[in-house]
Amino acid sequence: MAYVDEVLASVKAKNANEPEFIQAVTEVLDSLRPIVDAHEEEYRKVGLLERLVEPDRVITFRVPWTDDNGNVQVNRGYRVQFNNAIGPYKGGLRLHPTVYLGILKFLGFEQIFKNSLTSLPIGGGKGGSDFDPKGKSDAEVMRFCQSFMTELYKYIGPDEDVPAGDIGTGAREIGYMYGQYKRITSQYQSILTGKGLSYGGSLARTQATGYGLLYFTQEILKLNNIDLAGKTVCVSGAGNVAIYAIQKATQLGAKVVTCSDSTGWVYDPDGIDVAVLQEIKEVKRARLTEYKNYRPNAVYHEGRGVWVTKCDIALPCATQNELLLEDAKNLVANGCLGVFEGANMPTTLDATKYLQENGVLFGPGKAANAGGVATSALEMSQNAERLSWSFEEVDQKLQSIMVNIAHNCDEAARKYGHEGDYVVGANIAGFEKVADAMIAQGVY
Ligand code: NDP
Ligand code: 2IT
């Protein structure tokens, strides 16, 4: 049996209750076949793939907190420290009721290759909790965050593990967690990124994932002689990544006609108004049903359905497995040219295959959304030198990182005979550096 198949079979057997993790590993290992086949003996000898698919460690803990009625609630907290071959563990904290170990293992595993692609020295990790910030008061969110950090602080450090935001974890949550870390340790350290600008955060980190997605998209389109300006774009999601993807796409001359949240989606024929979206989501923390109150030409639909809309470019920016085979068929039938993932693993494996087989350019999340974590690493650099760079300086660096990732994916795919397959390109380009470092550092 081929080495990849042996390891895949073992991952499936050992992690049978973690379908998202199996999905992520399957995508990565399948596309690493060309490079693994070329180095099979060397990799087998050091158990490279077996080590790569097993996290360095998984930490789980109880998170008790008191709600506004005085009742004690208990959530489960996690940190998955997946791989630190090329730098300290780095990756976000997800707060969502669907969080369980399988989700965080898939995200931590993806993060290894994503972080390597940034060309910055960061390893892969992820964490979070099944806590749902929606519908909670600020005081409840604060008490949860303080309790979460009271355990997490033992396992993180500026050269050890540096968490950040993800779904459900934004500026408010990072602030409460940072405050609690400082209170426990008396240390003013770079142990979180996505911090507020008044206490060590980087300019442009808020915008970075969405902006980076567009810089990457624009570069891949350019490599294929397609101009982004004038194109119609569909975005899903209405959170951090979606909002700044819509803003940058609009600045670059495209028209974004959709966005969505977990209850429904909006079609705005005049182009989504980012200021309105920010008011609804960032200020009021409200539902998208409100959008049509500000924009009478817009239509609100209950449930899922963004991908029925005709578009040139699709940017899934909400969550995993939100773009299914039937959606891929709709996109192809409507003449879509490219799908670029702002979220992590938003496209199912069969949908990805269908899109690629039908000539749709496909930018996988670990490349396309790497701008967020790249800018987090820039925040760590600024903290280390106790300086802060201007918005323009960070944005410039972000642009060149994303252009570089696009070229590296393109070249790696070409080198291994899969020209234009950016899934193969991203996985191989991300894997190479991690594999080298793991081999050089011996068996551990
Ligand atoms: P936010 O919490 O800011 O926004 C998430 C958005 O997706 C919301 O509109 C939310 O709707 C929607 N959503 C979340 N879960 C579901 C679900 N199960 N079904 C339908 N809609 C859902 O998160 P981010 O924008 O930060 O993250 C979005 C995606 O991007 C995630 O996959 C994340 O891992 C990825 N990512 C984030 C980065 C970052 O820097 N923040 C960096 C790289 C990737 P509702 O509010 O109704 O729940
Ligand atoms: O999925 C991701 O890359 C993130 N949520 C950002 C992680 C980070 O450390 O900035």
Side-chain angles (χ1 to χ4, degrees):
M1 210 197 272
Y3 186 29
V4 160
D5 293 310
E6 268 176 38
V7 176
L8 263 181
S10 150
V11 167
K12 285 177 187 166
K14 279 189 178 172
N15 304 279
N17 297 324
E18 297 173 355
E20 298 84 1
F21 178 58
I22 292 174
Q23 182 182 341
V25 174
T26 302
E27 187 228 77
V28 170
L29 291 195
D30 256 341
S31 63
L32 291 179
R33 285 178 197 276
I35 187 169
V36 173
D37 289 348
H39 298 83
E40 173 150 351
E41 203 185 320
E42 182 191 4
Y43 290 173
R44 262 186 195 277
K45 199 168 155 211
V46 297
L48 184 73
L49 296 185
E50 293 87 338
R51 289 193 284 136
L52 192 64
V53 298
E54 197 62 39
D56 288 355
R57 67 192 63 76
V58 171
I59 299 144
T60 72
F61 47 92
R62 180 175 66 240
V63 189
W65 55 280
T66 307
D67 68 21
D68 288 346
N69 298 320
N71 297 319
V72 174
Q73 306 284 343
V74 177
N75 286 99
R76 188 172 287 177
Y78 304 85
R79 188 69 182 164
V80 177
Q81 297 181 331
F82 220 115
N83 185 302
N84 66 354
I86 65 167
Y89 305 107
K90 183 86 197 82
L93 296 170
R94 178 172 293 191
L95 299 182
H96 195 272
T98 56
V99 164
Y100 79 105
L101 186 56
I103 294 271
L104 299 179
K105 279 172 65 184
F106 118 63
L107 289 162
F109 184 71
E110 287 283 293
Q111 203 84 43
I112 303 170
F113 309 98
K114 181 195 305 194
N115 292 4
S116 168
L117 281 170
T118 66
S119 75
L120 301 167
I122 38 179
K126 202 84 188 188
S129 173
D130 57 2
F131 174 78
D132 186 0
K134 254 191 239 123
K136 305 287 190 301
S137 69
D138 282 351
E140 288 176 324
V141 170
M142 181 178 76
R143 289 193 291 272
F144 167 83
C145 290
Q146 291 177 336
S147 180
F148 184 80
M149 184 53 86
T150 299
E151 189 61 28
L152 184 70
Y153 92 96
K154 300 169 188 166
Y155 311 103
I156 62 177
D159 295 310
E160 184 178 2
D161 184 355
V162 187
D166 192 77
I167 289 177
T169 307
R172 175 181 63 174
E173 291 74 18
I174 292 289
Y176 293 150
M177 289 182 197
Y178 191 75
Q180 183 70 358
Y181 180 90
K182 204 161 50 64
R183 189 174 168 205
I184 296 169
T185 64
S186 301
Q187 298 282 313
Y188 213 96
Q189 301 224 47
S190 187
I191 45 84
L192 287 170
T193 58
K195 298 186 290 298
L197 297 177
S198 56
Y199 63 95
S202 173
L203 284 160
R205 174 61 188 89
T206 305
Q207 294 83 355
T209 312
Y211 279 22
L213 171 64
L214 268 298
Y215 298 146
F216 177 86
T217 299
Q218 194 179 35
E219 195 61 23
I220 294 288
L221 292 179
K222 214 196 270 174
L223 289 170
N224 290 276
N225 300 311
I226 301 169
D227 199 353
L228 177 63
K231 296 291 185 288
T232 299
V233 177
C234 279
V235 167
S236 65
N240 173 265
V241 179
I243 288 172
Y244 294 97
I246 295 170
Q247 185 173 70
K248 184 51 75 178
T250 309
Q251 284 171 7
L252 294 174
K255 181 155 95 173
V256 182
V257 292
T258 63
C259 62
S260 66
D261 64 15
S262 54
T263 49
W265 61 286
V266 163
Y267 173 74
D268 187 340
D270 305 323
I272 297 290
D273 185 325
V274 175
V276 167
L277 197 56
Q278 286 178 303
E279 171 68 19
I280 296 171
K281 288 293 174 184
E282 294 182 341
V283 181
K284 293 172 140 182
R285 297 182 186 275
R287 312 307 303 159
L288 268 185
T289 36
E290 295 211 359
Y291 186 87
K292 62 181 187 317
N293 301 340
Y294 298 80
R295 303 273 288 180
N297 283 344
V299 188
Y300 175 80
H301 302 268
E302 283 289 329
R304 66 188 300 281
V306 165
W307 314 120
V308 301
T309 311
K310 185 172 167 52
C311 64
D312 302 306
I313 306 293
L315 305 176
C317 296
T319 192
Q320 67 278 351
N321 294 330
E322 52 151 322
L323 199 163
L324 313 176
L325 181 59
E326 71 204 62
D327 302 316
K329 288 182 179 169
N330 280 330
L331 289 169
V332 168
N334 283 329
C336 178
L337 302 169
V339 174
F340 298 89
E341 297 184 321
N344 285 307
M345 206 170 73
T347 316
T348 57
L349 293 176
D350 54 357
T352 304
K353 186 160 177 272
Y354 186 86
L355 291 167
Q356 289 186 313
E357 283 175 357
N358 285 278
V360 178
L361 299 171
F362 185 83
K366 63 172 70 66
N369 71 38
V373 75
T375 307
S376 279
L378 300 178
E379 181 172 327
M380 290 162 69
S381 298
Q382 293 169 76
N383 293 161
E385 64 176 13
R386 299 184 193 282
L387 291 173
S388 30
W389 307 336
S390 68
F391 188 98
E392 291 68 30
E393 189 173 353
V394 179
D395 190 40
Q396 263 308 320
K397 287 187 162 71
L398 170 63
Q399 282 186 52
S400 67
I401 289 168
M402 298 314 294
V403 166
N404 196 27
I405 293 175
H407 287 263
N408 287 344
C409 292
D410 187 52
E411 281 154 26
R414 219 181 277 275
K415 181 173 160 195
Y416 286 92
H418 289 260
E419 185 174 344
D421 185 337
Y422 305 112
V423 175
V424 168
N427 286 328
I428 291 185
F431 168 80
E432 275 181 317
K433 191 163 100 177
V434 176
D436 279 358
M438 286 177 71
I439 292 168
Q441 292 170 26
V443 173
Y444 66 94

